[in-house]
């Protein structure tokens, strides 16, 4: 049985655009796009983990909103259980510390980039929910 890895992701929406970040060449899934976030540590709630990860990865604070979905994806390194949340930046502009690129995308552009497989179900939901809308 593969290792189960609980992960959270932030679907940060600003002015109708969604933030995507690109994994570096020395990370698992190099070059894939994802929603920012990371592992939930022992004793940590998913929302606390997401706040911590956003501070660490993007040096920013966000308001955590509704859960979008929880999906499970089996990778060669383990089984990722990803819960994504709608989020809004409080005031800071994201600053990359772990990723190599970031893009603000229109909902219609979401499916045009190469997402990490665990993120794809959330990408499709966000695309459906936000196409033609300005906010979640």
């Amino acid at each position: 049985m593969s290792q189960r890895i609980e992960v959270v992701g932030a679907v940060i929406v600003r002015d109708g655009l969604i933030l995507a970040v690109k994994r570096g060449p020395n990370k698992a899934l190099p070059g894939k796009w994802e929603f920012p976030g990371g592992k939930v540590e022992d004793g940590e709630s998913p929302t606390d983990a997401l706040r911590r990860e956003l501070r660490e990865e993007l040096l920013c604070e966000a308001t955590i909103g509704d859960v979008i979905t929880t999906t499970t994806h089996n990778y060669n390194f383990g089984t990722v259980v990803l819960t994504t949340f709608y989020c809004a930046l409080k005031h800071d502009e994201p600053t990359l510390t772990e990723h190599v690129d970031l893009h603000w995308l229109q909902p219609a552009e979401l499916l045009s980039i190469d997402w990490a497989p665990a993120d794809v179900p959330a990408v499709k939901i966000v695309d459906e929910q936000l196409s033609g809308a300005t906010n979640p």
Side-chain angles (χ1 to χ4, degrees):
M1 186 169 161
S2 65
Q3 176 187 10
R4 181 181 167 101
I5 306 164
E6 297 284 338
V7 178
V8 288
V11 178
I12 299 173
V13 181
R14 180 176 70 186
D15 299 327
L17 301 175
I18 299 104
L19 181 68
V21 292
K22 189 174 185 180
R23 298 181 66 81
N26 298 322
K27 299 280 187 179
L29 307 171
K32 296 284 189 182
W33 291 87
E34 65 183 359
F35 294 119
K39 293 180 186 174
V40 178
E41 302 293 340
D42 289 338
E44 200 173 39
S45 74
T47 55
D48 286 344
L50 192 51
R51 283 186 193 92
R52 176 185 50 76
E53 287 287 347
L54 292 174
R55 283 191 298 269
E56 291 173 2
E57 289 185 3
L58 297 176
L59 305 178
C60 65
E61 298 285 332
T63 301
I64 312 298
D66 294 336
V67 170
I68 298 166
T69 190
T70 298
T71 58
T72 302
H73 190 82
N74 295 315
Y75 291 103
N76 60 354
F77 56 83
T79 300
V80 169
V81 180
L82 170 63
T83 301
T84 48
F85 296 82
Y86 279 117
C87 296
L89 293 177
K90 287 188 177 179
H91 46 77
D92 304 315
E93 192 64 27
T95 301
L96 296 177
T97 63
E98 293 184 21
H99 295 88
V100 296
D101 201 0
L102 68 79
H103 282 296
W104 290 97
L105 302 167
Q106 295 283 343
E109 297 174 302
L110 287 174
L111 297 173
S112 70
I113 60 176
D114 187 17
W115 290 92
D119 288 81
V120 171
V123 169
K124 290 179 179 178
I125 292 169
V126 170
D127 175 44
E128 289 173 13
Q129 291 180 347
L130 297 186
S131 290
T134 56
N135 284 308

